[in-house]
Amino acid sequence: MHHKTSPAGRLSPRYISNKYAVGQYPHGFSNSFADHDLSDDDVRALAPILPVAILLPDEVIGKTREFMDAFTGNTMYAVKCNPDPIILKAIYHAGVRHFDVASISEVRLLRSLFDDVELYFMHPIKAPEAIKEAYDVHNLRVFSVDYIGELDKILKVLGDKTDLVLYVRFAIPKDKPKGGVATDFSTKFGANFDDGVTLLKECRPYCSRLGVSFHVGTQCEDPFVFEKAITHISRAINECGVTVDALDVGGGFPASLPGPSIVPPVTAFTATIETAIKDHGIKGLDLICEVGRAIVASGGSLIARVEGRKGDLLYLNDGTYGGIFEAGGAIGLRYPVHLIRSDAHRPPLPHQPFRFAGPTCDSVDMMNGPFMLPNDVQVGDWIRIEQLGAYGEVSRTGFNGFDATHKITVSRQVD
Ligand SMILES: *Cc1c(COP(=O)(O)O)cnc(C)c1O
């Protein structure tokens, strides 16, 4: 990704106007800066023929501060959710000094940006070379493990150390198929109860501090899921027979998305966590979380153009291989959407549910929503999709030649 820095100023149509033929657009991310968010009239004037990713770092600063006010422990940011340096700087600016990284590239990126942050290598399965470079070169001391093989690997790579901070990641059993979350993170990672308890004992001699962690699954819309997870984890803390210093309650805090029920505010989750910790008598532990989606989702939007319409199916110029991965079948998130008519004077029709199809020829590139839009939507209109600051641009691919986008950063304070 290439990031051009230029003084904040009015949106320059130079970067975006449709005077370019498709093939003349620069590939990948171009970047321009605007001091105001795009109005519908701006979009009509600019008439973008490529998807436009909009970054709103000021919004991220606000959401991060709100979260930090609500959460009594240390707020750590899960970098994979949105690793754009503009967003990382906004989160740092808001006061976050802990970052959850999963690859050596994320470690290097964070160290290149900030030298006073603590990095947590929270991927339970790491490459040995990544462990070594992180420890030797980047002063990283915190690692997550979810089975004995990973502890063995770390000790083999680093030799006998006593300055490690190790977090044992537990799987959280579910009593419902999806258990109130969009994606269950305990099917891929996490120790079961008995193995986790054993692993805590095995880790203790090698660490200066020992923690437990879990991840309830992303876009968790039910605070009670955290209560159940803390019940599970507190039993492990009490049964393991060694001193546990820290509790990491993971991520999963939701973004505000449309759906059958209203998403509870972040304070409902932080209050539930606090009560559960008190109720289970584990209040003395250092508390930390790995927030991602909840602080960055509203910091990004996407403007896509309608290239075809068949009834309730809209063919867009962006899709699941582009900036809207999580709207696809595997996760099926719904997003708030807004129609920008190519003709501002067209009489509006009532809203109805729509499905989206992405631009690639792959039939899995479909997004069933439903997305509520006025029924007068037609080819050549644009649709603005909100809450895409989380897991949006980061998973864009160039599949099928749909690799070019525009990027606009809207900010009054970012350089
Ligand atoms: C992705 C991830 C997160 C962030 O999850 P959100 O649902 O975005 O809050 C936190 N921790 C780990 C280990 C992750 O893999």
Side-chain angles (χ1 to χ4, degrees), residues 78 80-81 100 169 185 215 218 251-253 290-293 391:
K80 79 171 187 295
C81 192
D100 163 0
R169 175 148 163 196
F185 280 21
H215 193 301
T218 198
F253 305 94
E290 304 164 357
V291 64
R293 185 188 303 278
Y391 310 108

Side-chain angles (χ1 to χ4, degrees), residues 201-214:
K201 294 188 188 92
E202 287 162 337
C203 285
R204 186 69 257 189
Y206 302 100
C207 38
S208 63
R209 303 181 57 71
L210 177 64
V212 288
S213 74
F214 59 85

Side-chain angles (χ1 to χ4, degrees), residues 10-320:
R10 275 198 61 85
L11 177 62
S12 162
R14 183 162 59 90
Y15 287 105
I16 198 172
S17 89
N18 61 0
K19 71 180 183 227
Y20 295 101
V22 174
Q24 292 178 301
Y25 274 102
H27 280 239
F29 291 84
S30 55
N31 199 358
S32 57
F33 289 80
D35 63 4
H36 69 294
D37 202 349
L38 273 68
S39 67
D40 291 4
D41 282 335
D42 287 332
V43 175
R44 277 186 283 270
L46 297 167
I49 67 173
L50 294 176
V52 182
I54 300 173
L55 275 185
L56 304 158
D58 301 355
E59 170 71 19
V60 171
I61 292 172
K63 275 282 182 304
T64 305
R65 287 188 174 144
E66 250 175 60
F67 189 92
M68 293 175 87
D69 284 346
F71 186 68
T72 51
N74 267 318
T75 298
M76 171 156 64
Y77 174 61
V79 171
K80 79 171 187 295
C81 192
N82 189 331
D84 192 305
I86 289 167
I87 296 299
L88 295 173
K89 284 179 196 168
I91 290 167
Y92 180 92
H93 183 82
V96 171
R97 293 294 178 272
H98 298 79
F99 290 86
D100 163 0
V101 289
S103 61
I104 196 62
S105 291
E106 288 183 351
V107 172
R108 291 175 191 155
L109 170 65
L110 267 289
R111 273 291 174 255
S112 75
L113 292 173
F114 318 113
D115 48 22
D116 63 341
V117 299
E118 189 163 9
L119 301 182
Y120 288 57
F121 212 143
M122 296 312 259
H123 194 311
I125 311 288
K126 296 162 282 297
E129 298 81 2
I131 295 168
K132 182 143 183 60
E133 181 181 327
Y135 186 97
D136 288 350
V137 181
H138 305 289
N139 194 32
L140 187 152
R141 293 291 177 271
V142 192
F143 298 91
S144 145
V145 296
D146 73 351
Y147 82 124
I148 185 69
E150 190 71 7
L151 175 63
D152 290 344
K153 186 198 287 171
I154 291 171
L155 297 177
K156 188 166 169 220
V157 171
L158 299 181
D160 268 4
K161 288 283 184 289
T162 52
D163 65 346
L164 300 177
V165 179
L166 296 175
Y167 278 81
V168 172
R169 175 148 163 196
F170 281 75
I172 301 299
K174 292 277 152 23
D175 51 10
K176 293 181 261 177
K178 268 203 159 184
V181 299
T183 306
D184 181 358
F185 280 21
S186 291
T187 53
K188 182 166 177 180
F189 298 121
N192 68 32
F193 186 85
D194 291 341
D195 293 348
V197 165
T198 308
L199 193 51
L200 282 168
K201 294 188 188 92
E202 287 162 337
C203 285
R204 186 69 257 189
Y206 302 100
C207 38
S208 63
R209 303 181 57 71
L210 177 64
V212 288
S213 74
F214 59 85
H215 193 301
V216 295
T218 198
Q219 186 65 20
C220 172
E221 300 190 0
D222 180 1
F224 188 61
V225 172
F226 278 92
E227 142 74 28
K228 280 190 302 184
I230 290 169
T231 304
H232 185 77
I233 213 99
S234 63
R235 269 185 53 217
I237 293 168
N238 291 329
E239 282 184 26
C240 71
V242 294
T243 304
V244 174
D245 305 294
L247 169 64
D248 174 356
V249 296
F253 305 94
S256 165
L257 300 179
S261 50
I262 292 173
V263 178
V266 133
T267 46
F269 293 84
T270 53
T272 302
I273 289 168
E274 203 158 317
T275 307
I277 287 173
K278 234 181 266 164
D279 289 352
H280 292 289
I282 49 171
K283 219 179 167 323
L285 274 61
D286 282 350
L287 179 63
I288 192 160
C289 71
E290 304 164 357
V291 64
R293 185 188 303 278
I295 61 172
V296 297
S298 61
S301 316
L302 182 77
I303 295 172
R305 193 170 69 172
V306 180
E307 308 289 21
R309 175 176 177 179
K310 294 178 189 164
D312 73 336
L313 180 59
L314 302 179
Y315 292 79
L316 305 183
N317 65 351
D318 208 1
T320 64

